[in-house]
Amino acid sequence: MNKRILISGASIAGLTLAHWLARHGFEPTVVEHAPAPRSGGNGVDVRGNAIEVTERMGILPRIRALATDVHGMKFVDATGRAVARIDTRDPASVEIMRGDLVALLHEVTDAEILFGDSVLGLEQDDDGVTVTFEHAPARRFDLVVGADGMHSNIRRLAFDPEERFIRFKDHYFAFADTDASLGENRWVTMFNTPGKMTGIYRSGNHAQAKAYFMFRSAPLRYDHRDVAEHRRLISEAFGGESSWRTRELLDAALADPDLYFDALGQVRMDSWSNGRVTLVGDAAWCASPASGAGAELALVGAYLLAGELAAADGGHRVAFARYDAARRPLVDAKQRIGPNVRLMVPKTEGGRCVRDVVARLPLLRTLGAMERRTPLPEYGLSGGGGRRS
């Protein structure tokens, strides 16, 4: 049985995987580049089968207690007048701040976690993987899982450079902390000019609000780790905008040391495994923030990967194949983000007017309930064995 499993990344996918692997009798170790659990991030949706995953983990009541209580999206004109609203509340889903969810997952994860370290090299052979770290001594593992995001280090080491797998979706986005008084309580307020969106996310249960920016662009050359470059790019895109509250939100974002900026991209791969190495979460299938499905895919994908390894008694070839087959249909569906992007960032003034009309239609409020859900498999615990659909 392949029991010793290294997971790179201590966010939603990595911690969920470590939790379920430990419950199935494996010995997971997590390595995380950050010095502690990441506390920042935006709101994420726990819905679909992810509700059942968190219920089986025993954390669903606490997720509900920490819910953001956001009612929906509001689109405004330059004077701040609401021109359309979409009520996004769904009794079958819960929105929670990413940092709050990561903290809960960290609490219930019984695994060794190496904070402040990262993987430098992987060397596979017939019996396992030798892993070298930036700081810790080299160690042997039976399997390695990359749960380290769209810019996955494990994917680069075990597969190919990210340029082969990331598909740029014609937009860049950023978010940062801002003054909650700039937005309406319990609403995501958005203002558009052609090809650009400025917004503010104000949770009903959190004092801190988030400023959001998205803009359409040809590919840009920049280092995704260089925050100074990120500030420059956001300033160039929005520095000339003075309508609504754009200037105030931009000033707040540029002053936030934790400003987040990246391309709107998706990860497309024909296979998520290579020998004894596999991927989960955004490292495998990032659908982009525009999908609204990152947390859902991460929670369910990690649960299924751990369960299939247990059902196969650690046999990685069988488990990885079943895991791939189980996840790919939903991943493919969630990566169809075209309507979401057009809703948030219309390309033209005419497109914005059409969006405002469409946003007033009752149909948009029911689309989430139309999503088809498949039964979540149940797996025997404590050492594997058994798989029930």
Side-chain angles (χ1 to χ4, degrees):
M1 180 178 181
N2 293 316
K3 296 196 68 171
R4 298 166 300 168
I5 302 176
L6 176 70
I7 304 164
S8 177
S11 190
I12 297 173
L15 291 175
T16 303
L17 178 62
H19 169 91
W20 285 107
L21 286 175
R23 286 183 64 175
H24 284 299
F26 294 92
E27 299 171 6
T29 296
V30 182
V31 59
E32 167 57 49
H33 178 72
R38 296 179 185 270
S39 59
N42 55 349
V44 298
D45 293 315
V46 179
R47 61 189 180 198
N49 289 138
I51 289 286
E52 194 168 354
V53 170
T54 57
E55 187 173 34
R56 294 179 187 182
M57 296 175 77
I59 60 174
L60 182 56
R62 297 177 66 187
I63 289 175
R64 294 193 187 280
L66 292 168
T68 61
D69 192 26
V70 169
H71 292 176
M73 296 185 292
K74 177 181 72 170
F75 303 101
V76 299
D77 62 17
T79 68
R81 179 179 66 91
V83 295
R85 291 179 187 259
I86 300 175
D87 189 330
T88 59
R89 286 173 292 186
D90 178 359
S93 70
V94 186
E95 186 179 45
I96 181 174
M97 300 306 291
R98 176 179 289 273
D100 291 341
L101 179 56
V102 168
L104 288 178
L105 293 170
H106 182 248
E107 284 184 33
V108 299
T109 297
D110 183 16
E112 175 189 20
I113 303 181
L114 307 176
F115 285 110
D117 209 343
S118 59
V119 175
L120 288 182
L122 302 171
E123 187 173 337
Q124 296 193 58
D125 55 46
D126 292 342
D127 299 318
V129 187
T130 299
V131 180
T132 53
F133 297 93
E134 185 175 353
H135 300 297
R139 290 169 63 176
R140 288 279 290 177
F141 294 92
D142 298 313
L143 304 172
V144 174
V145 182
D148 45 354
M150 184 172 75
H151 300 291
S152 171
N153 179 45
I154 297 300
R155 190 183 61 228
R156 177 183 60 82
L157 291 171
F159 295 83
D160 279 312
E162 68 176 41
E163 290 78 13
R164 180 183 168 193
F165 305 113
I166 295 181
R167 304 292 182 263
F168 176 56
K169 306 304 290 184
D170 303 319
H171 292 76
Y172 291 88
F173 72 99
F175 62 84
D177 287 346
T178 193
D179 184 351
S181 67
L182 298 177
E184 182 179 352
N185 191 28
R186 293 182 168 83
W187 286 89
V188 181
T189 305
M190 299 184 188
F191 169 71
N192 293 102
T193 54
K196 296 181 182 179
M197 182 275 285
T198 308
I200 178 169
Y201 174 104
R202 186 175 173 189
S203 162
N205 293 334
H206 294 77
Q208 187 67 62
K210 296 287 183 182
Y212 282 88
F213 305 87
M214 188 179 295
F215 63 96
R216 188 176 181 86
S217 172
L220 302 172
R221 295 181 62 86
Y222 70 100
D223 183 345
H224 73 269
R225 296 160 295 192
D226 190 332
V227 179
E229 277 194 80
H230 303 166
R231 293 194 177 96
R232 175 182 62 80
L233 292 170
I234 289 294
S235 295
E236 290 177 355
F238 290 91
E241 303 285 341
S242 57
S243 298
W244 188 55
R245 296 185 177 273
T246 302
R247 185 71 254 173
E248 296 163 281
L249 294 172
L250 180 61
D251 288 345
L254 296 177
D256 184 357
D258 295 321
L259 167 70
Y260 184 91
F261 176 89
D262 209 342
L264 198 67
Q266 294 184 333
V267 175
R268 301 290 186 100
M269 303 183 71
D270 294 331
S271 175
W272 299 322
S273 61
N274 180 13
R276 291 177 172 271
V277 180
T278 195
L279 305 171
V280 69
D282 282 354
W285 55 62
C286 178
S288 89
S291 73
E296 176 189 3
L297 292 173
L299 286 161
V300 181
Y303 170 85
L304 291 173
L305 176 55
E308 293 299 347
L309 281 167
D313 198 26
H316 62 284
R317 294 181 181 86
V318 171
F320 290 170
R322 288 177 176 170
Y323 155 69
D324 192 302
R327 293 308 297 138
R328 203 163 287 274
L330 183 59
V331 167
D332 290 345
K334 295 297 185 180
Q335 288 187 330
R336 302 186 189 108
I337 62 168
N340 292 356
V341 176
R342 290 191 293 273
L343 185 73
M344 292 185 289
V345 192
K347 291 171 59 175
T348 65
E349 184 63 23
R352 183 192 63 78
C353 293
V354 172
R355 187 278 313 277
D356 292 345
V357 172
V358 172
R360 300 186 190 108
L361 299 177
L363 176 63
L364 277 183
R365 302 181 185 181
T366 63
L367 289 179
M370 295 169 60
E371 183 177 291
R372 180 176 178 269
R373 297 176 185 173
T374 57
L376 188 68
E378 295 183 19
Y379 301 96
L381 295 175
S382 300
R387 180 180 190 273
R388 291 182 290 160
S389 297

